Amino acid sequence: MDRLEMKEKLSKKLPAKRFEHSLGVEYTASCLAMVHGADVEKALIAGLLHDCAKWLGSTEKIEKCKKHGLMVSEVERNNPELLHAKLGAHYAKTKYGISDDEILSAITYHTTGRPNMSLLDKIIFVADYIEPNRRPLPEIEEIRKEAFADIDKCIIHILKNTLSFLDNSSSDMTDKMTIDTYNYYVNNAK
Ligand code: DGI
Ligand code: FE
Ligand code: FE
């Protein structure tokens, strides 16, 4: 399947706004790949497909994970939205014909990040946050500049904001992976 076919298929699955966001992540990821020297075509594909499982309802997300043998942790059971990332990687593989492990990893970790991310993981994590169709988030102008100038600094900034947002909501929402990612990048800051 070529990228145009993926796009047609995705447009039939996602609501218009979510599809527009996916296109935003697609082209933002390609720009970041150009600046940071990653594979531009992989960035386009991972960006386009990163939210391909987002349209499923919460209960459905849990059911589909069980059906496909994907682990559901306690935090994920309580916050099923988190599952769209790993389920998205599964659908990218099975429904969109993606076999590239770098692309599948970038989709899997796009919500929480992970310690020691690959360059493509970082690009999708960041592009998801900064793409131009997203409603404005705090400090977004500075975060957007950091994305192109110093991507690790940008990741710390995003995670700091996400963690403080989650902490303000309720602490049992926070996935350990999000905290581990934050600690990893703070401790390994250049
Ligand atoms: O799918 P998108 O909306 O494009 O973006 P995303 O996959 O990054 O998901 C965004 C939401 O994920 C945002 O509201 C913050 C939330 N999130 C990030 N880390 C965690 C988290 N939610 C929970 N419950 N726990 C986390 O650790
Ligand atoms: Fe997402
Ligand atoms: Fe997204």
Side-chain angles (χ1 to χ4, degrees), residues 50-51 54 84 110-111 128:
H50 80 286
D51 276 341
K54 190 89 179 180
H84 80 279
H110 84 265
T111 303
D128 187 27

Side-chain angles (χ1 to χ4, degrees), residues 6 11 35 69 79-80 118:
M6 292 176 202
S11 74
V35 166
N79 304 275
S118 73

Side-chain angles (χ1 to χ4, degrees), residues 5-15 19 96:
E5 290 173 90
M6 292 176 202
K7 207 170 279 187
E8 275 171 13
K9 182 166 175 160
L10 189 67
S11 74
K12 296 188 185 106
K13 284 285 176 194
L14 296 182
F19 182 64
Y96 294 85

Side-chain angles (χ1 to χ4, degrees), residues 138-172:
E139 297 160 30
I140 191 66
E141 281 119 347
E142 198 187 341
I143 290 172
R144 282 180 173 149
K145 283 181 195 162
E146 287 166 356
F148 291 91
D150 184 342
I151 198 166
D152 284 7
K153 189 175 172 194
C154 178
I155 286 164
I156 292 170
H157 200 160
I158 291 172
L159 287 163
K160 192 162 160 273
N161 287 10
T162 299
L163 286 169
S164 86
F165 164 78
L166 290 170
D167 214 27
N168 287 334
S169 320
S170 128
S171 56
D172 66 349

Side-chain angles (χ1 to χ4, degrees), residues 18 21-22 25 47 50-51 54 84 110-111 124 127-129 131 134:
R18 180 59 53 182
H21 161 72
S22 302
V25 177
H50 80 286
D51 276 341
K54 190 89 179 180
H84 80 279
H110 84 265
T111 303
I124 300 305
D128 187 27
Y129 201 87
E131 69 89 8
R134 214 187 249 298

